[in-house]
Amino acid sequence: MLLQFIGSSVSTQVCRSHVSMEISRTFSGITNLLFNRRSSEESTYSTRKCLKPGKVSPRRSVPDHIQTPPYVRSKKPPGIASGPEVHDEKGIECMRASGRLAAQVLQYAGTLVKPGITTDEIDLAVHQMIIDNGAYPSPLGYGGFPKSVCTSVNECICHGIPDSRALEDGDIINIDVTVYLNGYHGDTSATYFVGDVDEGARNLVKVTKECLDKAISICAPGVELNKIGKTIHDHADKHRYGVVEQFVGHGVGQVFHSDPIVLHYRNNGRGKMVLNQTFTIEPMLTIGSIHPKMWNDNWTVVTEDGSLSAQFEHTILITTDGAEILTKC
Ligand code: MF3
Ligand code: CO
Ligand code: CO
């Protein structure tokens, strides 16, 4: 979920641009040096092409009997609703059901990842499986988002729109699935390998997953939310990766995005976890710059220097003795 967006200037491209392969050291290159990040390691050897927009297929339809979230028909941008999601026993069961479905859909989508498949084909499969299970694909029509799932390839940090681009050997792709089942959202994502992926990218993905797992392991009633950011940031630092700050975890339940805002970086924010509360944790780590650049489609967010980014996300429930992962298969 977007926290705030600060525009940034042109900088060194780690992926191979079609215009120029020239590498000039810019501000972001210097910050990477200062913060001991790995950017230059990748830029020296990479032959990976920059991600480019493809063609987006027409909007898919949802059968009438499926319950639609309120934001789909409204014109105003949804944003982050105030008030946390804290559930009674019935609400918890609904969250378990939507979390389970989101996890199953994501797992299925992951099996489709291979060279040659387009992200639009992944969107079709995800859309079909969600409606076959009586649920609504939450991204479809959220703030005008045109598709049923987010597919974020290589330097795309998040919110990639499925399109005609075929996956290529060596790509990494985050698939972010959210379903709205019986009035409750379940939100989860994972990053997958397309064919043979080089060691550098594999390690980024591994460490990003570890960050999520470690953050979940410290969750319990009464724990400060800022411990999540510290846990993720400490682990990313240890491996010299950057943590994206503009996109955050969030309360999730009857509303897609609500309080609390869950920061993935070191912070002094106030607020503690509450019994029976549900929220997401969804760290995005990068090899180089942590600063995002948005495409003209107003959704696709890429690293400003074209360096790789990975993400994992779970919806969790705060229980008496810790956290239950609702989006685990
Ligand atoms: N699933 C994303 C999240 O984790 C939100 C996607 S909103 C969309 O918060 F409109 F881009 F789909
Ligand atoms: Co989310
Ligand atoms: Co998500």
Side-chain angles (χ1 to χ4, degrees):
M1 181 61 199
L2 176 69
L3 179 57
Q4 72 218 117
F5 204 85
I6 302 154
S8 57
S9 56
V10 182
S11 68
T12 314
Q13 284 291 315
V14 173
C15 53
R16 193 183 60 195
S17 130
H18 295 278
V19 184
S20 156
M21 278 192 65
E22 199 182 314
I23 293 173
S24 60
R25 202 173 285 296
T26 62
F27 188 65
S28 100
I30 291 165
T31 16
N32 290 335
L33 270 182
L34 271 172
F35 288 94
N36 194 27
R37 287 196 206 111
R38 301 172 184 246
S39 60
S40 49
E41 292 171 21
E42 200 197 10
S43 62
T44 314
Y45 307 108
S46 176
T47 53
R48 183 167 51 77
K49 282 182 282 175
C50 287
L51 194 64
K52 283 193 321 201
K55 270 184 93 155
V56 179
S57 65
R59 189 183 173 120
R60 300 186 207 287
S61 62
V62 175
D64 284 343
H65 70 272
I66 286 173
Q67 189 186 342
T68 304
Y71 52 77
V72 174
R73 278 176 242 287
S74 111
K75 278 260 172 304
K76 57 174 191 285
I80 296 185
S82 56
E85 295 275 354
V86 179
H87 307 276
D88 59 13
E89 208 39 59
K90 255 180 138 166
I92 290 173
E93 275 317 311
C94 290
M95 283 304 296
R96 287 200 175 107
S98 69
R100 193 179 315 120
L101 177 60
Q104 287 166 347
V105 172
L106 177 61
Q107 188 185 47
Y108 172 60
T111 67
L112 303 176
V113 171
K114 39 183 86 60
I117 191 171
T118 66
T119 49
D120 186 58
E121 287 167 324
I122 294 173
D123 180 76
L124 174 62
V126 165
H127 180 87
Q128 196 60 47
M129 182 168 172
I130 293 173
I131 63 178
D132 285 350
N133 284 277
Y136 184 94
S138 308
L140 187 64
Y142 177 87
F145 192 81
K147 292 280 134 191
S148 300
V149 64
C150 298
T151 51
S152 304
V153 174
N154 296 338
E155 67 264 36
C156 181
I157 295 170
C158 61
H159 301 169
I161 300 173
D163 65 17
S164 57
R165 182 188 185 278
L167 296 182
E168 293 176 15
D169 190 63
D171 285 346
I172 60 171
I173 177 175
N174 175 275
I175 303 180
D176 191 339
V177 172
T178 314
V179 305
Y180 186 63
L181 179 66
N182 297 321
Y184 289 79
H185 295 274
D187 189 6
T188 184
S189 85
T191 301
Y192 296 94
F193 302 131
V194 183
D196 275 330
V197 170
D198 70 41
E199 179 71 32
R202 295 185 95 90
N203 194 58
L204 171 71
V205 171
K206 173 171 170 274
V207 173
T208 307
K209 174 78 168 50
E210 288 167 1
C211 283
L212 175 59
D213 294 342
K214 282 177 189 291
I216 293 171
S217 75
I218 61 89
C219 292
V223 174
E224 300 227 34
L225 283 155
N226 64 28
K227 208 168 165 193
I228 292 174
K230 179 177 164 35
T231 304
I232 293 167
H233 214 152
D234 284 353
H235 192 58
D237 276 355
K238 204 154 74 192
H239 295 271
R240 294 160 56 215
Y241 292 126
V243 180
V244 174
E245 301 187 355
Q246 271 86 355
F247 297 87
V248 298
H250 51 90
V252 63
Q254 289 175 281
V255 173
F256 192 173
H257 296 109
S258 66
D259 282 334
I261 284 169
V262 179
L263 302 177
H264 302 119
Y265 57 96
R266 230 169 268 118
N267 69 91
N268 297 317
R270 299 242 159 211
K272 290 179 174 159
M273 301 171 203
V274 174
L275 182 66
N276 296 337
Q277 178 179 33
T278 49
F279 58 84
T280 74
I281 306 177
E282 46 186 296
M284 283 138 274
L285 265 62
T286 63
I287 290 186
S289 173
I290 61 166
H291 299 295
K293 190 164 79 179
M294 197 183 288
W295 281 5
N296 290 335
D297 61 18
N298 276 323
W299 280 107
T300 311
V301 175
V302 296
T303 56
E304 63 168 355
D305 60 357
S307 69
L308 288 180
S309 176
Q311 180 179 28
F312 284 84
E313 171 176 28
H314 274 307
T315 297
I316 64 167
L317 166 73
I318 301 301
T319 59
T320 39
D321 53 359
E324 178 181 328
I325 301 175
L326 299 177
T327 44
K328 202 150 96 176
C329 261

